[in-house]
Amino acid sequence: MKLSTLLKEKERTLSFEVFPPKTSDRMETVLEATEKIAALQPDFMSVTYGAGGGTSQFTVDIAARLQEEYGTTVLPHLTCVSSDQDHVKRMIHVYEEKGLENIMALRGDIPAGGAPCHDYTHAIQLIRDIREIAPEICIGAACYPEGHVEAHNRDEDLQYLKEKVDAGVDFLTTQLFYDNTIFYHFLYRAREIGIRVPIIAGIMPITNASQVKRTVEMSGTIVPERFLAMVDRFGENPDAMKQAGVIYATEQIIDLYAHGIRNIHVYSMNKPEVAAGIQASLSAIV
Ligand code: FAD
């Protein structure tokens, strides 16, 4: 199913993200986790794309399998910055041939030392290529409530986002955030400059203390005091940390739904127990 249709028709959605293995010997373990998450019957599942593009086939294989065997609506990602245009165009054809109706179109992080190839500098070029090659595919793109780490300022980032959306994006998913007021403020500013597509709020449950440092470094997100206190108190106890992390994320989600936000995407990181914990606490809500 196209996500543009799903997001329009369903009152509220809850979806989960999985990522492919780095090597083929890990594929079985990853498939096991993704299938457990699929069994929860989320509204859709996204499958990320390895930054260098070297594991691109895994993304396609996992997404196609979830769609074929579980009837799951899938959103495979596709990045462009580390690939040449021929490879990217071939991948777009592969997605189409596999009957994948949605693509999350991303630039990808620029690798240390610079991109190995200069065909793409920004996601907008990929979006234009998808629109040209496979006009029927529903396209998602990324947005950053606190501004992308490379952006000079948030206004400039938002202007580029508007251009990206106008190039043919059907919906946006946000970078993670731990303070919902950041999202509400962003949503207001996005609507004000005329971005009308659905904006899915991306929520990352923190389930171990070391993940906090990594996540914050990569995303540059502001970490509220309440969140830090939780990590300080429970960080040394893995079970307690996981439980607290799931509850924190669930509270964020309930607050978002309560404020009329209809679409939530959980960065569930191949952890079925985390996805199940969140879903169980929302069973009468979504
Ligand atoms: P862009 O939209 O190109 O933006 C990147 C920067 O360039 C921003 O600072 C923006 O302001 C600026 N910019 C945009 N357009 C222009 C323009 N026309 N001219 C000048 N400047 C411009 N990474 C992966 O490797 N695999 C994944 O599967 C993956 N999934 C993600 C999912 C989500 C929901 C999010 C939020 C991020 C994901 N990422 C993933 C990370 C993403 O690839 C990085 O954040 C990357 O650095 C930016 O990608 P983008 O598509 O947002 O780029």
Side-chain angles (χ1 to χ4, degrees), residues 48-49 51 77 79 104 106-109 122-123 142 144 148 150-151 157 160 164 173-175 267:
T48 66
Y49 195 87
H77 293 196
T79 69
M104 185 74 180
L106 301 142
R107 184 195 68 179
D109 284 328
H122 295 102
Y144 303 83
H148 183 263
E150 288 165 32
D157 201 37
Y160 285 132
K164 187 160 83 166
T173 306
T174 73
Q175 174 70 287
Y267 297 115

Side-chain angles (χ1 to χ4, degrees), residues 1-274:
M1 185 184 207
K2 282 192 189 178
L3 285 188
S4 47
T5 308
L6 177 78
L7 298 174
K8 205 181 291 167
E9 289 181 352
K10 200 147 181 242
E11 190 186 356
R12 288 185 200 101
T13 64
L14 182 67
S15 49
F16 296 120
E17 179 159 295
V18 294
F19 59 84
K22 287 201 169 66
T23 51
S24 56
D25 58 323
R26 297 281 303 154
M27 189 63 158
E28 270 311 305
T29 316
V30 169
L31 279 176
E32 213 174 286
T34 60
E35 287 167 7
K36 281 185 184 158
I37 296 176
L40 299 170
Q41 300 190 307
D43 288 299
F44 70 90
M45 283 172 72
S46 67
V47 186
T48 66
Y49 195 87
T55 58
S56 52
Q57 194 55 42
F58 296 159
T59 298
V60 178
D61 291 346
I62 293 170
R65 184 159 165 164
L66 289 171
Q67 179 166 279
E68 281 157 25
E69 293 189 14
Y70 290 82
T72 309
T73 297
V74 286
L75 172 62
H77 293 196
L78 178 60
T79 69
C80 57
V81 75
S82 292
S83 309
D84 62 29
Q85 206 175 19
D86 281 350
H87 177 79
V88 170
K89 287 187 168 179
R90 253 197 326 276
M91 287 309 297
I92 298 169
H93 285 298
V94 170
Y95 283 42
E96 220 186 5
E97 282 155 19
K98 290 272 182 189
L100 300 165
E101 296 178 286
N102 308 291
I103 296 182
M104 185 74 180
L106 301 142
R107 184 195 68 179
D109 284 328
I110 297 171
C117 173
H118 299 284
D119 286 355
Y120 295 92
T121 52
H122 295 102
I124 191 168
Q125 296 158 283
L126 171 63
I127 289 156
R128 290 185 178 131
D129 279 352
I130 299 172
R131 273 282 159 262
E132 193 186 310
I133 295 169
E136 293 304 314
I137 282 190
C138 169
I139 303 178
C143 62
Y144 303 83
E146 296 168 83
H148 183 263
V149 283
E150 288 165 32
H152 296 122
N153 59 63
R154 290 186 199 188
D155 285 343
E156 184 193 88
D157 201 37
L158 207 55
Q159 280 304 333
Y160 285 132
L161 182 64
K162 171 88 168 62
E163 279 177 28
K164 187 160 83 166
V165 171
D166 291 346
V169 167
D170 294 295
F171 66 92
L172 295 166
T173 306
T174 73
Q175 174 70 287
L176 61 92
F177 54 89
Y178 292 110
D179 179 347
N180 287 355
T181 55
I182 292 167
F183 176 81
Y184 299 134
H185 188 221
F186 167 74
L187 190 61
Y188 176 77
R189 290 169 58 241
R191 297 306 186 217
E192 201 176 36
I193 68 156
I195 295 174
R196 298 273 171 259
V197 294
I199 301 182
I200 304 176
I203 298 294
M204 164 88 89
I206 286 286
T207 55
N208 68 66
S210 60
Q211 191 192 345
V212 178
K213 192 167 175 282
R214 215 172 42 242
T215 304
V216 170
E217 272 172 11
M218 279 171 67
S219 64
T221 190
I222 292 169
V223 183
E225 186 51 41
R226 197 165 79 83
F227 183 91
L228 277 180
M230 175 183 83
V231 178
D232 283 348
R233 181 67 59 186
F234 305 120
E236 299 292 308
N237 178 337
D239 289 342
M241 187 62 234
K242 190 181 276 188
Q243 196 167 45
V246 166
I247 291 172
Y248 188 98
T250 308
E251 279 183 8
Q252 263 193 289
I253 294 170
I254 291 173
D255 179 73
L256 289 162
Y257 283 142
H259 282 84
I261 306 307
R262 294 171 50 198
N263 312 114
I264 311 286
H265 190 57
V266 178
Y267 297 115
S268 45
M269 309 283 287
N270 296 0
K271 292 189 177 120
E273 70 284 7
V274 169

